[in-house]
Amino acid sequence: QSALTQPRSVSGSPGQSVTISCTGTSSDVGFYNYVSWYQQHPGKAPKVIIRDVTKRPSGVPDRFSGSKSGNTASLTISGLQAEDEADYYCCAYAGSYLWVFGGGTKLTVL
Amino acid sequence: QVQLVQSGAEVREPGASVKVSCKASGYDFISYYVHWVRQAPGQGLEWMGIINPSGGSTTYTQRLQGRVTMTRDTSTRTVYMEMSSLKFEDTAVYYCARAVGNWIDSWGQGTLVTVSS
């Protein structure tokens, strides 16, 4: 059960779009449509922004979207805003009541 | 509203044990699994395990198997995470979090456990 692979950092200017990848295996990301994404600001608990690969929980802006292809899931943030600067984590179900997180990606809004 | 309130910060010596509590309110306690997730200083999130408050069944990450135990007390709507044989690298903020399906919708405030001699 290895951590999912995310880029350590990404950046973009206000108004631009950025995409964060999350690569797993055919046993987790590639097998189940149970990838979720969490946003974490410094000193705060994480907050879900995408669940079940593509679904946005109530209250999450539609600037956030998720997708998956093969063993890689992606989070796209369009129309970047200053408040989007945070750490982002993917999480995937790996079967048998096991879950795994990605290593996290720091998003910098330039 | 859904609330998960965790116990306060702890300091332990290497080799000792620690038990963190997570008291749930605002929902039907036995109907939602609870994850435990930890985050070492400056590091990412690490999934530790999950407990079913209804029957008490648990699943742990292989990495911590044998050192972590998750339990629950339905009378007080509280789940517990106990870790034994603590090492310096177990220093982290420990979160309990409510599972909705295969995702997490609510988190506790976190409990800092410091392992120091």
Side-chain angles (χ1 to χ4, degrees):
Chain A
Q1 198 186 357
S2 301
L4 308 174
T5 301
Q6 298 182 230
R8 280 192 176 267
S9 64
V10 297
S11 62
S13 299
Q16 288 186 331
S17 294
V18 295
T19 295
I20 300 171
S21 61
C22 168
T23 301
T25 70
S26 57
S27 298
D28 40 57
V29 174
F31 194 86
Y32 300 97
N33 287 323
Y34 295 138
V35 177
S36 49
W37 289 89
Y38 301 87
Q39 176 191 64
Q40 185 181 36
H41 287 107
K44 302 288 189 183
K47 171 195 164 188
V48 66
I49 51 173
I50 294 289
R51 54 115 171 162
D52 300 339
V53 179
T54 62
K55 297 179 171 65
R56 272 188 317 277
S58 173
V60 175
D62 59 6
R63 304 185 294 103
F64 294 90
S65 62
S67 62
K68 188 183 86 167
S69 177
N71 297 337
T72 298
S74 298
L75 170 70
T76 298
I77 309 171
S78 57
L80 267 180
Q81 299 182 3
E83 58 262 36
D84 297 334
E85 185 161 296
D87 294 324
Y88 291 84
Y89 296 90
C90 59
C91 180
Y93 179 59
S96 301
Y97 288 89
L98 295 166
W99 277 261
V100 60
F101 278 97
T105 298
K106 180 176 179 58
L107 168 63
T108 300
V109 180
L110 302 169
Chain B
Q1 75 281 20
V2 174
Q3 270 201 304
L4 299 170
V5 178
Q6 299 182 223
S7 49
E10 305 272 11
V11 179
R12 294 286 186 274
E13 293 189 344
S17 296
V18 70
K19 192 170 186 176
V20 178
S21 68
C22 169
K23 185 172 177 63
S25 63
Y27 70 96
D28 183 11
F29 176 69
I30 62 171
S31 294
Y32 295 84
Y33 286 56
V34 174
H35 295 275
W36 285 90
V37 177
R38 70 178 181 177
Q39 186 170 35
Q43 303 300 308
L45 301 174
E46 179 183 13
W47 185 81
M48 300 176 64
I50 191 168
I51 181 168
N52 177 359
S54 177
S57 61
T58 54
T59 304
Y60 306 128
T61 183
Q62 191 171 6
R63 213 168 93 81
L64 298 175
Q65 199 93 29
R67 289 206 300 133
V68 67
T69 304
M70 296 174 190
T71 56
R72 94 290 189 220
D73 182 341
T74 55
S75 68
T76 60
R77 303 166 59 89
T78 303
V79 295
Y80 299 92
M81 186 285 300
E82 183 168 22
M83 184 166 292
S84 61
S85 303
L86 287 168
K87 310 171 187 179
F88 292 118
E89 51 265 39
D90 292 320
T91 294
V93 174
Y94 289 75
Y95 292 101
C96 61
R98 189 180 82 156
V100 175
N102 290 284
W103 54 289
I104 292 170
D105 75 331
S106 299
W107 298 71
Q109 84 274 21
T111 296
L112 175 62
V113 175
T114 303
V115 183
S116 172
S117 54

